Every structure is written in C-alpha cells, then in structure tokens.
C-alpha cells in the first residue's frame, strides 16, 4: 500500500507541474481594477475653447470583467478611461471605452463577444492586457487600443520596480490615422471660411514593465503624439501630446498583485510538485523497507 500511494504521488508531481498548473493559472473573469496615470504639461485641442491648452492631466482607467460573457478559455474585460485637466479646471476633456476578449491562459486577443473600441468593432490580435505566463526576453505583439492594431513590443532590458524584478518592453507605434473629423477652418489657422475635413493621426511609444512569472504589467508609460491634418497632408494643430505615467500608488498596487500572482504560480508549478515528489519517494522507500523486512523475517522463520 505504501509503494502504491508513493508511486501515485510521484506520478502526480509531473502532472501537476506540466499539465494541471497550466490549467489552474489563468486570468480572472471577474477582474476589477482602477489604475491612475498623470501627464504633466500635456497639450490638447480643447473643443470647448476651440484652441490648444496646456495643463497637467489626471487619467483614470477602470477595467471590469464581464463574467457572464466569459466562456471556456476566454474572458472579456471592459475598460473606461476618463481624462481631467487639473490645471485649467476642465473635467472630462476625454472619455474612451473599449471591450476586449482574450485567452485566459495566453493573454492573446480573441475576436468575439462584441470586442470594440469606441463602439466600433475591432480585430483583436497580440497580447491584450497581460503578457504570457512565463514571459521571455523576446518581442511580443501587443494590441494598441488607440491605433486599433497590434505592434511589436521589444524586450529592452531588466529592471526592478519597488524591489520586484521585471522585464522592460518598448512598443513604437508608427503614425496611424485614427479618426476623420470636421473643424472650423479659422481655428486651424486657415483663411478660408466654413468647416474643413481633418484627419487625426497618432504615433507614440508605450513602455511596459512586466513581472515575467505572472506576465502582469506593473508599470506603464505612454508617450502620445496626436495631430490634426487637412486633406492636403499639412499638419494644422495639436490634438493630444503628452507623456502619461502611472502614479506611485497605482504602481504599488500592481506590484502587490504581481507578487501575489507570482507566489501562487510558484506554489502550483514548483512547491506542490516538489512536495508530492518528495512525499511520494518517502512512501515508496518506506514501502520497500517494509517489504524487505518482511522477506527477511520470513526467511529467518524458515
């Protein structure tokens, strides 16, 4: 019986390490997190003032999981972003929303469940919100919500954030047309009367600091450069130019979540399998000793 139990535990150890753990480690369907960023000396075109303003911005991003929409391998998260201008006392200068579906085990985008940006359907690809569990030192395609497509995020080095070892990735987004608008020609510095059609273009650099075991980004910086161009290709005005960074409080909260996730993953992939293996071997050895003693005793009686 000892040998049987021990053999079972020894067999269970690699199953836990290489199969069960990978099925137990996944992104939550009931995600709820509020992250805050700040951008100092940002420039943006104020539709209320019909001119470019400069100010310090507070940015709040609320992400909530749609539990009812989660099925099988995929989860669905909804995101809402609100931007306030603290310097000029302008509330709600920008509101954005996004709905994303992705594989709960790999973090890769899935096209289903009404995925959209600003209510417009999108084709999701690349990593969405999370990097893979066991992130490696290589480039990953990451979905950019502003450009509405995935671009490569290159591994650029190792750092520490609040004492936690992380991998740093940088994603460069080329100039991409994101919106077609109409605006008064006069506010764009043009001499003609009436409204003109303008295109909004975005380019930027997004930097991620990722805890590699869990794939959780614990810090993020976004360098955004958005301008308005007329049909002749001439840049007429700033639309939004800023460098947004997560606040220290938000970074601290994300680091704590990453540390907890890393601990759970190591428990499932290292500690539990190791305990199963050791206990199993102890049982097998104990069983073999009992059998050897029984055989020795039997021979002595004969």
């Amino acid at each position: 019986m000892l040998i049987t139990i021990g053999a079972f535990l020894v067999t269970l150890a690699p199953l836990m390490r290489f199969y069960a753990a990978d099925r137990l480690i996944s992104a939550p369907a009931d995600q709820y997190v509020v992250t805050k960023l700040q951008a100092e000396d940002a420039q943006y075109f104020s539709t209320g003032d019909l001119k470019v303003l400069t100010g310090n911005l507070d940015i709040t991003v609320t992400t909530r999981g749609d539990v009812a929409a989660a099925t099988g391998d995929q989860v669905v998260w909804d995101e809402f972003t609100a931007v306030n201008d603290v310097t000029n006392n302008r509330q709600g200068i920008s509101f954005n929303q996004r709905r994303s579906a992705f594989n709960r085990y790999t973090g890769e985008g899935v096209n289903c469940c009404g995925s959209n940006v600003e209510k417009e359907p999108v084709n999701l690809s690349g990593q969405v919100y999370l990097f893979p569990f066991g992130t490696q030192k290589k480039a990953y395609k990451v979905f950019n919500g502003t450009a509405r497509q995935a671009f490569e995020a290159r591994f650029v080095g190792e750092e520490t954030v609040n004492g936690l070892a992380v991998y740093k990735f940088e994603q460069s987004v080329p100039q991409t047309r994101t919106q077609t608008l109409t605006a008064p020609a006069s506010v764009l510095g043009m001499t003609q009367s009436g409204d003109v059609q303008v295109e909004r273009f975005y380019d930027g650099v997004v930097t991620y600091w990722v805890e590699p075991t869990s794939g959780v980004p614990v810090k993020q910086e976004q360098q955004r450069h958005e301008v308005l161009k007329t049909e002749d290709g001439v840049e007429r005005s700033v639309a939004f130019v800023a460098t947004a960074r997560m606040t220290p409080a938000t970074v601290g909260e994300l680091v704590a979540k990453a540390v907890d996730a890393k601990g759970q993953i190591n428990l499932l992939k290292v500690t539990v399998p190791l305990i199963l293996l050791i206990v199993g071997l102890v049982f097998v050895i104990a069983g073999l000793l009992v059998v050897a003693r029984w055989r020795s005793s039997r021979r002595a009686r004969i």
Side-chain angles (χ1 to χ4, degrees):
M1 184 178 292
L2 288 172
I3 293 173
T4 300
I5 294 174
F8 171 74
L9 294 177
V10 169
T11 303
L12 186 60
L15 288 176
M16 172 62 75
R17 169 64 178 83
F18 297 106
Y19 178 74
D22 289 337
R23 303 307 295 175
L24 293 172
I25 301 167
S26 64
D30 59 347
Q31 171 80 344
Y32 180 78
V33 64
V34 177
T35 57
K36 292 184 178 294
L37 302 92
Q38 294 178 333
E40 296 183 354
D41 297 323
Q43 292 183 299
Y44 68 95
F45 185 85
S46 170
T47 55
D49 299 278
L50 293 179
K51 65 179 181 179
V52 175
L53 297 181
T54 300
N56 296 336
L57 308 181
D58 280 346
I59 305 167
T60 302
V61 183
T62 303
T63 306
R64 186 191 301 271
D66 185 345
V67 178
T71 57
D73 291 351
Q74 61 202 36
V75 293
V76 181
W77 291 0
D78 292 314
E79 175 185 295
F80 181 78
T81 302
V83 183
N84 297 317
D85 179 352
V86 178
T87 302
N88 298 293
N89 194 29
R90 300 290 193 275
Q91 301 297 309
I93 66 170
S94 174
F95 295 108
N96 302 101
Q97 53 187 343
R98 167 180 161 188
R99 180 176 175 86
S100 305
F102 61 96
N103 186 292
R104 68 169 76 223
Y105 302 109
T106 67
E108 295 181 27
V110 178
N111 289 305
C112 78
C113 317
S115 295
N116 68 78
V117 175
E118 299 300 330
K119 300 298 184 181
E120 295 183 5
V122 292
N123 290 318
L124 292 174
S125 61
Q127 303 301 131
V128 180
Y129 289 110
L130 302 174
F131 280 65
F133 297 111
T135 298
Q136 299 178 22
K137 300 176 183 179
K138 67 176 189 178
Y140 291 93
K141 287 289 187 71
V142 178
F143 185 79
N144 184 285
T146 303
R148 306 186 186 189
Q149 55 186 298
F151 297 94
E152 189 174 85
R154 299 177 298 105
F155 171 78
V156 294
E158 299 180 62
E159 294 186 7
T160 59
V161 175
N162 291 7
L164 179 68
V166 297
Y167 291 170
K168 183 179 178 180
F169 295 86
E170 285 187 358
Q171 179 191 59
S172 295
V173 181
Q175 192 169 79
T176 305
R177 185 175 60 185
T178 61
Q179 199 175 14
T180 300
L181 306 163
T182 57
S186 58
V187 304
L188 299 175
M190 303 173 69
T191 57
Q192 67 190 75
S193 60
D195 293 341
V196 294
Q197 180 173 297
V198 293
E199 307 284 354
R200 184 167 181 149
F201 285 85
Y202 158 78
D203 65 271
V205 177
V206 185
T207 307
Y208 303 92
W209 287 263
V210 180
E211 194 291 303
T213 300
S214 62
V216 174
V218 299
K219 183 179 175 183
Q220 187 180 132
E221 177 182 296
Q222 298 184 29
Q223 299 177 38
R224 301 174 64 93
H225 181 255
E226 298 180 66
V227 297
L228 300 177
K229 294 183 179 183
T230 45
E231 292 179 294
D232 55 8
V234 176
E235 182 179 318
R236 299 293 180 176
S237 174
V238 163
F240 190 91
V241 176
T243 297
R245 300 179 176 91
M246 286 183 171
T247 64
T250 287
V251 171
E253 292 170 0
L254 294 177
V255 166
K257 289 179 182 292
V259 169
D260 182 60
K262 179 182 179 180
Q264 293 183 39
I265 291 170
N266 285 334
L267 178 67
L268 290 171
K269 302 197 80 167
V270 179
T271 306
V272 172
L274 185 59
I275 290 174
L276 289 173
L277 179 61
I278 292 173
V279 173
L281 289 173
V282 169
F283 271 65
V284 170
I285 292 171
L288 291 174
L289 290 175
V290 170
V291 170
R293 182 177 297 178
W294 175 78
R295 287 179 176 175
S296 177
S297 175
R298 184 180 180 186
R299 283 196 299 269
R301 288 198 300 271
I302 294 175

